[in-house]
Amino acid sequence: MDVDAFVLAHRPAWDRLEYLVKRRRKLTGAEVDELVDLYQRVSTHLSMVRSASSDSVLVGRLSGLVATARAAVTGAHAPLWHEFTRFWTVSFPVVAYLSWRWWLGSAAAFFLVAVVMGVWVAGNPEVQATVGTPSDIAELVNREFASYYSENPAGSFALRVWINNSWVAAQCIGYAILLGLPIPYVLFSNAANLGVVGGLMFDAGKGDVFLGLLTPHALLELTAVFLAAAAGMRLGWSVVSPGDRPRGQVLAEQGRAVVSVAVGLVVVLLASGLIEALVTPSPLPTFLRIAIGVSAEVAFLAYVIHFGRKAASAGETGDVDDAPDLVPTG
């Protein structure tokens, strides 16, 4: 496509559409018909430019014009219930699904660090001495670890857990601003802490207590953290390697995807917090508590795979409808 010739041929239509949109409250019947016709034509122009040109400025202008014209033609935004449904069946699951490589990589690295750290602590009295005194360690493995889950009322404990888990996920989301570079450190710190506690518990013969109390809620909780890390690092990588599209366009798209993940994880971490507050310290048999945690994890993964794969097959990326193709520069 000869972009200059294309712009020269169609600019009068774009200018006319822009003029009609600005006067949309004062249009005559004939002008309303013209507005609808121009909106359809410029939408086609936008599709042609997107597929045949890398001119980000032109794409950005037409994208904004089409979005504004659509609002003028329809006269209202989509109903709230439609946006709510789209978020939970398209936007959130497809972003999670498309991030699976980063997601899986974060999980693998996390558990590798946790296991290595646990084995190192469990078999090394000198390392244990740097963690705490023998009495401190005995207090941790014999009382503090288990009592942590039951010493506070379930309601307040659930709120505290939710806030704590949300903070870890928020760090991963927030560090996307720094291209995701600090996210591996956040994961490493949490993995190291988990490995140290696990190593002490297993070394004291309390491995069953450790896994029995941790597994019910940790599966969903850590999955949420890994997803937050994946979204943040994926955004950072989009700046380093944007592919064959303009860097600004890719960054804007991935930035909106990170926001979708942040909103979705609020609910996921709330579910994890409720399990930790109500199921983990409950008198239910250990196998039943673990089964509840596994069921919640399987349900979440099935949800992401089902809706995410379906949306990805339809060409969805989780981006908002008619989003601008560039990051606003003010």
Side-chain angles (χ1 to χ4, degrees), residues 141 145-146 201 205-214:
V141 300
F145 185 81
M201 294 290 289
K206 301 280 187 176
D208 56 336
V209 176
F210 176 76
L211 295 178
L213 290 174
L214 199 64

Side-chain angles (χ1 to χ4, degrees), residues 34-304:
E34 184 183 8
L35 171 63
V36 175
D37 177 64
L38 285 173
Y39 160 66
Q40 295 172 338
R41 288 165 54 190
V42 177
S43 295
T44 302
H45 296 165
L46 174 59
S47 298
M48 294 172 63
V49 171
R50 276 177 165 166
S51 61
S53 173
S54 61
D55 188 334
S56 58
V57 175
L58 179 58
V59 171
R61 183 201 171 183
L62 292 181
S63 179
L65 180 57
V66 167
T68 306
R70 172 174 288 186
V73 170
T74 59
H77 295 290
L80 184 60
W81 66 263
H82 173 78
E83 297 298 331
F84 180 84
T85 302
R86 174 179 168 78
F87 178 82
W88 290 110
T89 59
V90 176
S91 302
F92 177 58
V94 77
V95 171
Y97 181 78
L98 294 175
S99 302
W100 72 268
R101 291 180 178 83
W102 293 93
W103 195 358
L104 186 61
S106 298
F110 182 94
F111 286 117
L112 177 63
V113 171
V115 170
V116 169
M117 187 68 70
V119 172
W120 184 45
V121 170
N124 197 327
E126 290 79 10
V127 174
Q128 295 181 23
T130 65
V131 175
T133 64
S135 61
D136 291 335
I137 294 175
E139 179 70 8
L140 170 66
V141 300
N142 293 321
R143 192 191 70 83
E144 287 184 355
F145 185 81
S147 65
Y148 168 77
Y149 297 100
S150 57
E151 62 185 5
N152 294 302
S156 61
F157 182 59
L159 178 61
R160 189 173 70 180
V161 167
W162 179 61
I163 292 174
N164 178 71
N165 294 341
S166 297
W167 170 240
V168 176
Q171 284 181 289
C172 293
I173 293 292
Y175 284 140
I177 299 175
L178 301 177
L179 306 185
L181 295 178
I183 294 176
Y185 173 76
V186 174
L187 293 178
F188 175 83
S189 298
N190 284 273
N193 290 335
L194 180 65
V196 169
V197 175
L200 294 175
M201 294 290 289
F202 272 90
D203 191 60
K206 301 280 187 176
D208 56 336
V209 176
F210 176 76
L211 295 178
L213 290 174
L214 199 64
T215 304
H217 63 275
L219 289 174
L220 190 59
E221 174 186 306
L222 289 176
T223 297
V225 171
F226 299 149
L227 177 53
M233 289 189 290
R234 188 176 176 219
L235 183 145
W237 184 249
S238 71
V239 177
V240 177
S241 180
D244 57 358
R245 293 190 296 162
R247 182 172 279 103
Q249 181 180 338
V250 176
L251 180 60
E253 181 181 298
Q254 292 302 319
R256 291 187 290 267
V258 168
V259 173
S260 294
V261 169
V263 174
L265 289 185
V266 170
V267 176
V268 177
L269 289 171
L270 177 60
S272 170
L274 290 174
I275 293 174
E276 186 168 357
L278 302 176
V279 176
T280 297
S282 72
L284 293 173
T286 300
F287 79 90
L288 186 55
R289 289 187 282 111
I290 292 177
I292 292 173
V294 171
S295 298
E297 172 75 357
V298 170
F300 177 64
L301 293 178
Y303 155 75
V304 168

